Amino acid sequence: EAGVAQSPRYKIIEKRQSVAFWCNPISGHATLYWYQQILGQGPKLLIQFQNNGVVDDSQLPKDRFSAERLKGVDSTLKIQPAKLEDSAVYLCASSTGGPSYGYTFGSGTRLTVV
Amino acid sequence: QQQVKQSPQSLIVQKGGIPIINCAYENTAFDYFPWYQQFPGKGPALLIAIRPDVSEKKEGRFTISFNKSAKQFSLHIMDSQPGDSATYFCAGSGTALIFGKGTTLSVSS
């Protein structure tokens, strides 16, 4: 079974620029999550999708972050404009159902904002 | 987000030792408590998980102990090996996983 694919692996941008991350979940996984992992901390949930609908985006800074999951498969996460404090690893995870089915995480995109 | 508090932040043990990582949660609605293992440059991977109606679960060298009344659970790694050196995260589950801050384990040979 192919894993969760994320791209790019690394990205360096200047503050106030925009950036987008892409995630392709495991085939058949209905639930997709984006997490932000700041260095030395645990992953923090940004947004959860069930198929192509949003289940929870309460922690997403909506003034600068947006995410979509078209056709219930791939997803993109965008930041515009980026701030220095957005420097983190952005992890995508997918699951067949809820969390108790087990998440499969991608390797993440490491974003550095300078 | 409801917090999951994890300790210690870092841990160093010798090969063969039994590191113990502790977590405490606040939300009594959590119904699933996994532990994830993360190596540098990789995403977290599910290690072992427990539900609150069970007090202990073992899988190989990894054991979760769960105390529902105290709202605490812990991970024990038996006969630890240098390959176990990684960061470990506990989590609690509602509609999504809420993670602790992580424990960096170093097992020296």
Side-chain angles (χ1 to χ4, degrees):
Chain A
E1 166 179 87
V4 175
Q6 290 190 247
S7 66
R9 285 300 311 275
Y10 307 93
K11 191 74 177 178
I12 301 175
I13 62 171
E14 295 184 349
K15 60 184 179 184
R16 292 187 291 274
Q17 285 188 325
S18 62
V19 64
F21 313 126
W22 174 80
C23 172
N24 180 235
I26 291 174
S27 178
H29 280 197
T31 312
L32 184 147
Y33 311 83
W34 283 100
Y35 280 81
Q36 179 193 57
Q37 186 175 21
I38 293 173
L39 185 64
Q41 297 186 19
K44 173 189 169 184
L45 179 69
L46 292 175
I47 189 167
Q48 176 186 353
F49 292 94
Q50 181 76 20
N51 296 309
N52 61 345
V54 175
V55 174
D56 182 359
D57 64 355
S58 59
Q59 299 298 309
L60 188 73
K62 298 181 187 64
D63 57 333
R64 298 184 301 106
F65 286 65
S66 64
E68 62 181 6
R69 188 181 185 197
L70 298 176
K71 300 181 181 179
V73 183
D74 293 5
S75 178
T76 56
L77 177 69
K78 297 179 181 178
I79 308 175
Q80 181 177 12
K83 293 185 176 182
L84 296 177
E85 58 261 36
D86 298 331
S87 294
V89 175
Y90 290 85
L91 293 164
C92 178
S94 68
S95 174
T96 55
S100 62
Y101 288 85
Y103 285 14
T104 301
F105 279 92
S107 293
T109 296
R110 180 176 296 278
L111 173 67
T112 302
V113 182
V114 299
Chain B
Q1 289 180 338
Q2 295 289 337
Q3 282 190 325
V4 176
K5 296 181 180 179
Q6 183 173 345
S7 64
Q9 185 175 350
S10 62
L11 194 51
I12 300 173
V13 300
Q14 289 193 329
K15 179 181 174 181
I18 306 175
I20 301 172
I21 306 171
N22 300 298
C23 280
Y25 63 97
E26 299 174 356
N27 190 342
T28 55
F30 284 167
D31 60 0
Y32 173 74
F33 298 89
W35 285 89
Y36 278 74
Q37 180 188 55
Q38 186 176 31
F39 293 103
K42 300 293 186 182
L46 179 63
L47 190 62
I48 186 172
I50 197 168
R51 294 196 182 273
D53 55 347
V54 176
S55 61
E56 184 176 279
K57 183 174 182 181
K58 290 185 179 180
E59 286 185 3
R61 295 184 294 109
F62 300 93
T63 299
I64 300 178
S65 297
F66 190 87
N67 186 329
K68 186 175 181 178
S69 61
K71 294 191 287 185
Q72 295 176 348
F73 57 111
S74 60
L75 176 70
H76 301 230
I77 305 175
M78 311 302 288
D79 186 29
S80 58
Q81 301 296 313
D84 296 330
S85 297
T87 301
Y88 293 81
F89 296 96
C90 62
S93 170
T95 57
L97 291 179
I98 307 301
F99 287 88
K101 290 190 174 183
T103 297
T104 300
L105 172 65
S106 179
V107 181
S108 62
S109 55

